[in-house]
Amino acid sequence: MYKYSEKDKSIIESRTKQFKNQVQRRLNGQLSEEEFKPLRLMNGLYLQLHAYMLRVAIPYGELSSSQLRKLAFIAEKFDRGYGHFTTRQNIQFNWPKLPDVPDILHELSKVEMHAIQTSGNCIRNISSDHLAGITIDEIEDPRPWCEIIRQWSTFHPEFSFLPRKFKIAVIGSKKDRAAMLVHDIGLRLIKKDKEIGFEVFVGGGQGRTPIIAKKIKNFLQKKDLLNYLEAILNTYNQEGRRDNIYKARIKILVKELGIEKFKLLVDENFKKLSDKNLEIDKVSIDKIFSFFTLPELKPNSHKVQIHKNKEYNEWVTQNTLSHKVSGYSIVHISLKSANHPPGDISSQQMMALSKISEDFSFSEIRVTHEQNLILPHVENKNIYKLWIELKKLSLATPNIGLISDTICCPGMDYCALATARSIPISQKISNHFKSFSDQKILGDLKIKISGCINACGHHHVGNIGILGLDRNGQEFYQITLGGSAKEDASIGEIVGPSFPESKLIDAINTILNTYKKNKKKKTEDFLSVFRRVGIKEFKKDLYDNT
Amino acid sequence: MAKKLRGEFFILSANDLRTGEVVFLTEKGWSVNSSEATIIKIDQVDKFQAISDRDEKKCIIVSSKFVELDENRKIKSLRDKIRNSGLTFKI
């Protein structure tokens, strides 16, 4: 795991002191809200529906046990005893008081965390594959590259006031577990003629104009990564629209210019930058990579234990994966138990999980963009013991990748922008489909719920997407089908008129029945059936009898 | 703010600058209890806007807004109802 340098530490400490002074000036009336707002947003502090909300970055989803313990402490001392993991590997605290925020940031800095660039029109938290460095299918660990980009982009003077926010994801496998193709820039490590470099994608995104990113570069040498990113960002900064917030993201620029024209502009900028000292040398790369070595795992032949306990077996089947080192497993911890707000975790759970990670997983925890957690290195011989511990904490729900493992934004219960609630919908779904055997029959199925068109709940790329709308003061829910955030990314199609909350579960049941009756073999998942039979079949079943 | 308002009756709401809590203007000042809020007619909006501006300057509140009431003098929109009553699910 990356450890802050003295420079990193001094940057964070000075920013914390600076913000403390700004808060004081705001409370004394020396700064108006208009003057203070951009300053607080630069430090991840929003004012939401009920209260302030602080968004803390978890770069590329990696947490240490001491960091998780600190988050538990903050939730307990400064908030209401819980935190919320977001869809971009951040955590949000929903009830901090303004005078406490500098103290929270100070506490975070003690464990090398911060809230910088979690808001505003800048380069946001770099996200990655939650299985980075631990799966066999990986070309190379993407985390060091995320860290290199994090260091380059933090407080980058040219990119602090971009036309709009800017999100980058880096993955190291063919499999996309980070929704890379719906990011402003997506980077995938690939191997070409024995050399590892990057495939570069640009202009993906969700919101009101969902677009799958286009490939702009087939192969980018590692040494050129920062120069090329700088060339893309420069092009966006120069050409991107600032007159209309809804047309300001890079995806609109790429769409309007066309990928070929955009690529030409980027290449011109890239040439201009070629003499700029952003080339990364091998020594610097190796230094960053040295932070991301595996803990001392001892390969062994232990298999995951089988047990008479049905509940345990269900959980093992659904929530564990093989580690690249034999004798170890990757354990998913679902934050989607029935009736539970997706992504929420209490301070007691965080505290206990911190200790569990020390006992079972070399003090490491991962945060997924699907709002779950991971213990990355668990010895197979300890899996049953771990399950017992997780079960005591209500953290052993066996539903990873199943219908009740919904992604969900905070919606109108928290968010000032939302047009409808999303958490109660997610709770209804998880409660309705809580039987493990029923969920297994449905197989892999991603339901993603957003409370407004900004799509923080990723509804566009849900196999079943649900978008909350306000229709004359009433909450309605529009359903999209066929979306995917994986390597075969696609934007879901609107199935038809929206449904009131009272009819939504029935509508989902109808959709699932259409899937089941069209399924050709047991293993054919929802997305495959949808892509084979098309939306008409689903539409007919949903609307023809109404 | 007043130009965009629809409806006849309102209460004035904001967030407490220090705590972020949702507050409502009452005869005795700002309170977390909306049932005590002063009911404002559309033609009184400018007067109350001035009070809001004053209290924003005094660093008491932030992000003030007029909340529309229905014919029963209850908060009309779902968003404002949630803002007043809190989360609609158990944590």
Side-chain angles (χ1 to χ4, degrees):
Chain A
M1 186 169 189
Y2 180 72
K3 298 303 278 176
Y4 275 14
S5 63
E6 288 309 310
K7 189 180 158 196
D8 290 319
K9 283 180 191 166
S10 77
I11 286 174
I12 302 304
E13 278 164 20
S14 72
R15 171 51 83 93
T16 304
K17 279 182 195 159
Q18 194 182 44
F19 189 57
K20 186 173 187 164
N21 181 267
Q22 289 161 353
V23 168
Q24 206 50 56
R25 284 157 68 207
R26 173 69 184 113
L27 293 170
N28 292 343
Q30 292 166 276
L31 289 176
S32 67
E33 183 59 17
E34 198 183 353
E35 290 164 324
F36 181 63
K37 189 177 174 184
L39 302 174
R40 68 169 161 78
L41 289 176
M42 282 177 191
N43 291 283
L45 186 65
Y46 291 72
L47 183 57
Q48 290 285 41
L49 210 57
H50 304 285
Y52 291 102
M53 180 274 280
L54 182 69
R55 183 181 294 152
V56 178
I58 302 170
Y60 34 93
E62 196 164 57
L63 271 179
S64 67
S65 59
S66 55
Q67 288 175 326
L68 187 59
R69 192 170 287 124
K70 182 63 78 180
L71 295 175
F73 166 78
I74 288 167
E76 192 64 31
K77 181 169 180 187
F78 298 105
D79 211 86
R80 293 194 182 173
Y82 71 101
H84 170 79
F85 289 106
T86 73
T87 53
R88 283 207 81 252
Q89 297 176 310
N90 297 305
I91 186 168
Q92 293 179 178
F93 294 108
N94 288 304
W95 313 93
K97 294 176 175 61
L98 181 57
D100 290 340
V101 175
D103 294 335
I104 298 174
L105 296 180
H106 177 63
E107 289 294 336
L108 287 170
S109 72
K110 289 183 194 171
V111 291
E112 306 186 354
M113 294 184 85
H114 60 73
I116 295 163
Q117 292 183 201
T118 58
S119 174
N121 294 337
C122 55
I123 300 172
R124 301 287 188 90
N125 188 28
I126 312 301
S127 60
S128 189
D129 184 350
H130 46 253
L131 302 185
I134 52 178
T135 52
I136 201 106
D137 68 350
E138 196 169 75
I139 306 282
E140 185 172 284
D141 189 345
R143 291 172 300 164
W145 296 105
C146 294
E147 179 53 34
I148 287 166
I149 297 168
R150 187 194 72 79
Q151 292 187 15
W152 159 77
S153 62
T154 301
F155 296 143
H156 194 304
E158 277 181 64
F159 307 140
S160 295
F161 295 97
L162 292 165
R164 275 294 273 143
K165 57 188 168 184
F166 204 91
K167 299 174 182 177
I168 302 175
V170 190
I171 62 172
S173 308
K174 274 189 181 168
K175 284 196 174 173
D176 183 359
R177 291 172 284 255
M180 181 271 285
L181 289 170
V182 283
H183 277 73
D184 296 290
I185 291 179
L187 296 164
R188 186 196 335 248
L189 284 149
I190 55 164
K191 196 179 240 180
K192 188 186 163 198
D193 303 330
K194 292 183 185 171
E195 187 187 355
I196 295 175
F198 297 94
E199 254 181 326
V200 185
F201 298 84
V202 69
Q206 299 192 62
R208 65 187 60 223
T209 314
I211 296 177
I212 302 298
K214 306 261 186 316
K215 195 192 283 188
I216 185 169
K217 192 95 178 158
N218 289 324
F219 188 83
L220 178 71
Q221 285 188 297
K222 286 177 173 180
K223 68 177 177 63
D224 291 326
L225 176 66
L226 296 185
N227 271 331
Y228 198 72
L229 291 180
E230 190 122 344
I232 294 175
L233 265 299
N234 270 337
T235 309
Y236 172 49
N237 218 2
Q238 288 158 5
E239 307 290 333
R241 288 180 64 172
R242 292 174 187 268
D243 61 322
N244 181 342
I245 192 174
Y246 302 121
K247 297 194 181 294
R249 295 288 291 265
I250 193 173
K251 62 189 172 187
I252 304 296
L253 179 65
V254 174
K255 190 181 170 200
E256 284 180 357
L257 291 177
I259 186 68
E260 289 309 319
K261 174 88 189 290
F262 183 78
K263 186 178 178 340
L264 279 177
L265 294 174
V266 170
D267 287 344
E268 277 171 29
N269 270 328
F270 185 54
K271 271 182 210 158
K272 283 183 212 160
L273 290 166
S274 60
D275 58 348
K276 213 175 155 185
N277 198 20
L278 275 177
E279 263 196 22
I280 324 168
D281 59 54
K282 193 174 175 313
V283 175
S284 310
I285 295 171
D286 288 348
K287 191 182 167 195
I288 296 290
F289 267 78
S290 70
F291 289 105
F292 294 92
T293 52
L294 282 174
E296 281 185 30
L297 306 181
K298 293 171 186 150
N300 61 76
S301 56
H302 284 287
K303 302 281 177 212
V304 174
Q305 297 146 296
I306 297 167
H307 206 272
K308 284 177 187 169
N309 189 315
K310 184 174 165 265
E311 244 184 294
Y312 165 75
N313 291 338
E314 288 172 354
W315 176 81
V316 160
T317 316
Q318 204 58 41
N319 288 31
T320 66
L321 293 171
S322 296
H323 195 284
K324 71 179 181 185
V325 176
S326 63
Y328 289 84
S329 287
I330 300 159
V331 173
H332 278 83
I333 298 169
S334 168
L335 299 180
K336 320 281 178 64
S337 59
N339 287 319
H340 190 79
D344 276 15
I345 185 168
S346 72
S347 50
Q348 291 94 329
Q349 286 172 321
M350 282 193 265
M351 197 60 90
L353 199 51
S354 165
K355 176 73 170 63
I356 285 174
S357 77
E358 287 164 356
D359 294 342
F360 291 90
S361 185
F362 297 84
S363 308
E364 288 185 28
I365 304 108
R366 303 275 178 90
V367 179
T368 80
H369 88 276
E370 294 185 328
Q371 300 175 294
N372 293 311
L373 299 177
I374 282 174
L375 293 173
H377 326 283
V378 181
E379 271 199 87
N380 287 345
K381 66 178 183 189
N382 292 332
I383 294 272
Y384 183 73
K385 212 169 136 193
L386 170 64
W387 176 73
I388 300 276
E389 294 300 316
L390 292 175
K391 198 167 158 45
K392 283 184 208 162
L393 296 167
S394 304
L395 289 173
T397 308
N399 65 349
I400 297 298
L402 300 177
I403 190 169
S404 64
D405 182 15
T406 55
I407 281 192
C408 175
C409 73
M412 210 207 277
D413 276 291
Y414 289 104
C415 180
L417 301 173
T419 42
R421 290 171 298 160
S422 50
I423 291 172
I425 300 303
S426 164
Q427 289 176 317
K428 267 192 171 183
I429 292 168
S430 65
N431 203 32
H432 186 82
F433 296 102
K434 65 184 168 198
S435 148
F436 180 73
S437 52
D438 290 350
Q439 290 191 69
K440 282 301 273 185
I441 292 167
L442 295 169
D444 287 350
L445 211 167
K446 306 273 187 197
I447 295 193
K448 304 189 181 194
I449 310 161
S450 302
C452 78
I453 195 62
N454 291 309
C456 295
H458 293 196
H459 68 276
H460 293 300
V461 289
N463 301 159
I464 300 177
I466 299 174
L467 166 63
L469 303 166
D470 176 347
R471 270 179 38 185
N472 301 320
Q474 301 294 313
E475 290 170 297
F476 272 73
Y477 294 89
Q478 184 184 72
I479 296 177
T480 47
L481 298 176
S484 168
K486 293 184 181 174
E487 55 282 2
D488 60 350
S490 55
I491 302 298
E493 296 175 56
I494 296 170
V495 73
S498 52
F499 297 89
E501 185 191 345
S502 58
K503 293 190 173 164
L504 189 59
I505 293 290
D506 286 346
I508 293 171
N509 269 324
T510 306
I511 289 164
L512 295 175
N513 285 336
T514 308
Y515 157 56
K516 283 190 267 188
K517 80 178 181 196
N518 283 285
K519 206 172 169 178
K520 277 193 172 166
K521 51 185 180 180
K522 211 176 166 186
T523 53
E524 195 178 21
D525 65 20
F526 180 89
L527 192 59
S528 307
V529 170
F530 176 83
R531 285 176 175 169
R532 181 167 52 74
V533 306
I535 199 161
K536 274 187 186 167
E537 196 69 17
F538 289 86
K539 208 185 261 274
K540 191 176 74 187
D541 290 350
L542 258 181
Y543 298 106
D544 273 8
N545 297 324
T546 56
Chain B
M1 191 193 290
K3 282 177 191 169
K4 288 182 186 171
L5 291 177
R6 273 188 262 172
E8 218 178 322
F9 294 97
F10 304 87
I11 53 179
L12 184 54
S13 179
N15 292 85
D16 181 282
L17 176 68
R18 297 179 76 84
T19 65
E21 273 182 306
V22 176
V23 289
F24 299 90
L25 185 67
T26 71
E27 284 181 9
K28 292 175 189 166
W30 295 92
S31 162
V32 293
N33 191 350
S34 67
S35 64
E36 294 170 1
T38 305
I39 293 179
I40 300 161
K41 278 188 179 174
I42 185 82
D43 58 5
Q44 296 175 301
V45 158
D46 289 345
K47 177 183 143 193
F48 282 90
Q49 182 65 57
I51 295 172
S52 164
D53 293 346
R54 180 199 69 195
D55 288 352
E56 286 218 26
K57 272 191 189 148
K58 282 175 154 179
C59 297
I60 298 168
I61 52 136
V62 64
S63 194
S64 68
K65 61 174 282 194
F66 288 96
V67 172
E68 190 181 345
L69 303 179
D70 64 16
E71 59 278 12
N72 300 313
R73 306 287 189 269
K74 301 283 181 198
I75 292 173
K76 191 172 178 184
S77 81
L78 178 62
R79 180 194 304 276
D80 290 326
K81 283 177 191 166
I82 293 173
R83 220 173 144 262
N84 176 42
S85 314
L87 304 178
T88 62
F89 56 86
K90 279 188 184 171
I91 293 167

